[in-house]
């Protein structure tokens, strides 16, 4: 929706300027008003309701699953809202990695609603705490206080949130391992049924080696449960000056790449075509900067600056744009 509003604002803005320069003043003003309305609409929170299919669950289990799903979804949105507002780039980047892990887990639960009970600790403890701590950090930033106590609390919040990425992954691994155990039990029963009917595994008899499934013998073939390598862009250690980031950039999640690319092109177009009026700043949610561009538009300084910004957006790598500007 945000990209659609941005594209509509770009079209209306260009059309409005064209009308104003060709003696269609009323139509031009109307289009510019429409441009502003489109940008404003794009800044409103997007409520995407994802429903959990519980038709295969018992009534009591279905009610509990729906409650857990609603809480998980709302807490995910709370963390995402805080991530976008937090000004600390290191923490915002780390929260982005956490959100990717949470999205993987929630996508899995959405496809396997019968597994939501196994995600109880993730939903009611880890994600709930992550949402609360993220909001607390955001509130401390909003106070703009830099006392020793405030800095100490912010550092503690930051350090705690860093560990949640691994906790998210560990919970997801437990859920998958539980499924593997269920699959192992089901296959064992099936094997016994086949043997009872006189059907045997000829390949097993020929090789003389038993074929076993053991979820405890090592990590599954999917790689889940292996010792994790440090994540790209993750904050990995705490030094005297606080958390030290690794230099790599946070990659764009595959499911967001097209959206990020579209937003990059829209921002580039707004900056080049309508940057004099600060359209790209309003689109980013930087209202004060947008007003400053309008106030100074008669100097043509915003025009030159916005053209440079638009070219920069256009040629900026998608991963860099995602980390710095995507909202």
């Amino acid at each position: 929706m945000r990209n659609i509003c941005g594209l509509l604002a770009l079209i209306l803005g260009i059309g409005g300027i064209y009308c104003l320069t060709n003696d269609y003043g009323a139509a031009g003003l109307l289009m510019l008003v429409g441009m502003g309305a489109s940008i404003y609409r794009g800044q409103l929170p997007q409520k995407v309701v994802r429903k959990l299919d519980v038709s295969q669950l018992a009534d009591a289990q279905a009610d509990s699953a729906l409650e857990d799903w609603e809480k998980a979804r709302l807490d995910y949105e709370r963390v995402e809202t805080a991530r976008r507002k937090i000004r600390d780039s290191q923490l915002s980047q780390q929260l982005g990695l956490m959100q990717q892990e949470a999205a993987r887990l929630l996508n899995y639960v959405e496809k396997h609603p019968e597994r939501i009970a196994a995600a109880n600790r993730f939903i009611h403890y880890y994600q709930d705490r992550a949402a609360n701590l993220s909001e607390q950090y955001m509130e401390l930033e909003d106070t703009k206080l830099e006392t020793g106590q405030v800095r100490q609390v912010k550092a503690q919040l930051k350090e705690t949130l860093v560990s949640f990425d691994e906790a998210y992954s560990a919970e997801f691994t437990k859920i998958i391992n539980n499924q593997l155990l269920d699959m192992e039990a089901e296959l064992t029963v099936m094997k016994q049924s086949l043997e009872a009917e006189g059907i045997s595994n000829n390949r097993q008899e020929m090789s003389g080696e038993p074929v076993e499934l053991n979820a405890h013998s090592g990590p599954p073939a999917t790689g889940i449960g292996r010792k994790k390598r440090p994540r790209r862009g993750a904050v990995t250690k705490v030094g005297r000056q606080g958390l030290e980031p690794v230099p790599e950039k946070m990659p764009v999640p595959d499911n967001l790449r097209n959206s990020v690319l579209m937003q990059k092109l829209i921002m580039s177009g707004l900056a080049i075509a309508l940057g004099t009026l600060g359209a790209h700043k309003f689109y980013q949610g930087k209202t004060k900067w947008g007003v400053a561009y309008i106030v100074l538009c008669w100097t043509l300084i915003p025009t030159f600056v916005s053209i440079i910004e638009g070219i920069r957006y256009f040629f900026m790598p998608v991963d860099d744009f995602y980390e710095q500007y995507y909202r």
Side-chain angles (χ1 to χ4, degrees):
M1 176 60 73
R2 188 166 186 270
N3 286 343
I4 294 175
C5 290
L7 184 60
L8 182 61
L10 178 60
I11 295 172
L12 289 174
I14 294 174
I17 292 176
Y18 175 81
C19 290
L20 288 175
T21 56
N22 287 273
D23 297 329
Y24 297 101
L29 290 175
L30 187 61
M31 286 187 174
L32 290 179
V33 171
M35 178 193 74
S38 297
I39 292 177
Y40 174 76
R41 177 63 183 86
Q43 302 305 315
L44 296 179
Q46 301 178 29
K47 296 183 179 180
V48 180
V49 179
R50 298 169 58 181
K51 296 183 179 180
L52 193 68
D53 183 8
V54 294
S55 57
Q56 303 299 320
L57 303 180
D59 291 342
Q61 188 179 5
D63 293 340
S64 176
L66 288 174
E67 290 179 4
D68 289 346
W69 175 255
E70 182 66 13
K71 176 172 175 54
R73 188 181 62 81
L74 292 177
D75 284 343
Y76 179 90
E77 292 178 357
R78 288 172 60 196
V79 175
E80 186 63 18
T81 299
R83 183 190 71 81
R84 293 177 176 179
K85 293 182 178 180
I86 286 175
R87 293 184 291 275
D88 187 302
S89 59
Q90 294 178 11
L91 182 56
S92 178
Q93 182 176 339
Q94 182 65 29
L95 289 176
L97 293 171
M98 284 172 48
Q99 288 293 83
Q100 291 183 37
E101 200 71 39
R104 289 176 56 231
L105 194 154
L106 293 178
N107 287 337
Y108 175 83
V109 170
E110 187 176 18
K111 295 177 181 177
H112 304 277
E114 72 280 0
R115 297 283 169 187
I116 195 169
N120 186 275
R121 182 171 175 79
F122 166 78
I123 295 172
H124 293 281
Y125 182 77
Y126 286 115
Q127 191 171 234
D128 178 77
R129 298 300 187 277
N132 291 336
L133 294 177
S134 300
E135 290 174 345
Q136 289 172 14
Y137 191 95
M138 180 182 65
E139 291 173 0
L140 284 177
E141 273 195 338
D142 290 341
T143 64
K144 297 183 180 179
L145 295 175
E146 291 297 334
T147 64
Q149 185 176 6
V150 170
R151 286 197 298 268
Q152 182 180 0
V153 172
K154 286 170 67 176
Q156 291 174 349
L157 289 171
K158 197 172 181 180
E159 183 177 355
T160 303
L161 284 168
V162 166
S163 64
F164 274 54
D165 178 35
E166 293 293 328
Y168 278 24
S169 182
E171 288 300 309
F172 194 15
T173 301
K174 290 178 183 178
I175 296 172
I176 295 295
N177 284 341
N178 287 339
Q179 183 181 15
L180 293 177
L181 290 173
D182 291 344
M183 291 171 62
E184 178 185 357
E186 183 178 350
L187 290 172
T188 300
V189 172
M190 185 180 298
K191 179 182 176 182
Q192 292 173 350
S193 298
L194 292 173
E195 290 177 349
E197 295 178 6
I199 303 174
S200 61
N201 190 333
N202 293 329
R203 286 182 296 178
Q204 178 179 341
E205 292 176 354
M206 292 174 61
S207 63
E209 297 178 357
V211 179
E212 295 183 358
L213 290 174
N214 190 346
H216 301 288
S217 61
T222 57
I224 298 173
R226 296 175 183 169
K227 185 176 180 181
K228 294 185 65 177
R229 297 179 179 178
R231 289 180 171 274
R232 294 181 61 197
V235 181
T236 56
K237 61 180 181 178
V238 180
R240 292 183 179 179
Q241 302 300 323
L243 297 170
E244 301 176 7
V246 294
E248 289 84 1
K249 300 296 182 182
M250 181 171 64
V252 181
D254 292 337
N255 62 321
L256 292 179
R257 182 165 290 274
N258 290 336
S259 177
V260 174
L261 181 59
M262 177 62 71
Q263 190 171 126
K264 185 168 83 82
L265 295 176
I266 290 173
M267 274 183 56
S268 178
L270 287 172
I272 293 173
L274 303 168
T276 304
L277 301 177
H280 60 302
K281 295 299 182 182
F282 287 112
Y283 182 68
Q284 294 176 52
K286 299 178 179 179
T287 306
K288 293 181 180 178
W289 277 104
V291 173
Y293 273 56
I294 292 177
V295 172
L296 297 174
C297 65
W298 62 275
T299 66
L300 296 183
I301 293 176
T303 303
F304 293 112
V305 173
S306 61
I307 290 175
I308 294 173
E309 288 178 318
I311 295 173
R312 178 171 173 267
Y313 297 149
F314 185 82
F315 289 103
M316 179 180 289
V318 178
D319 289 345
D320 291 348
F321 183 87
Y322 172 72
E323 182 180 352
Q324 297 180 37
Y325 298 108
Y326 184 74
R327 298 178 63 251

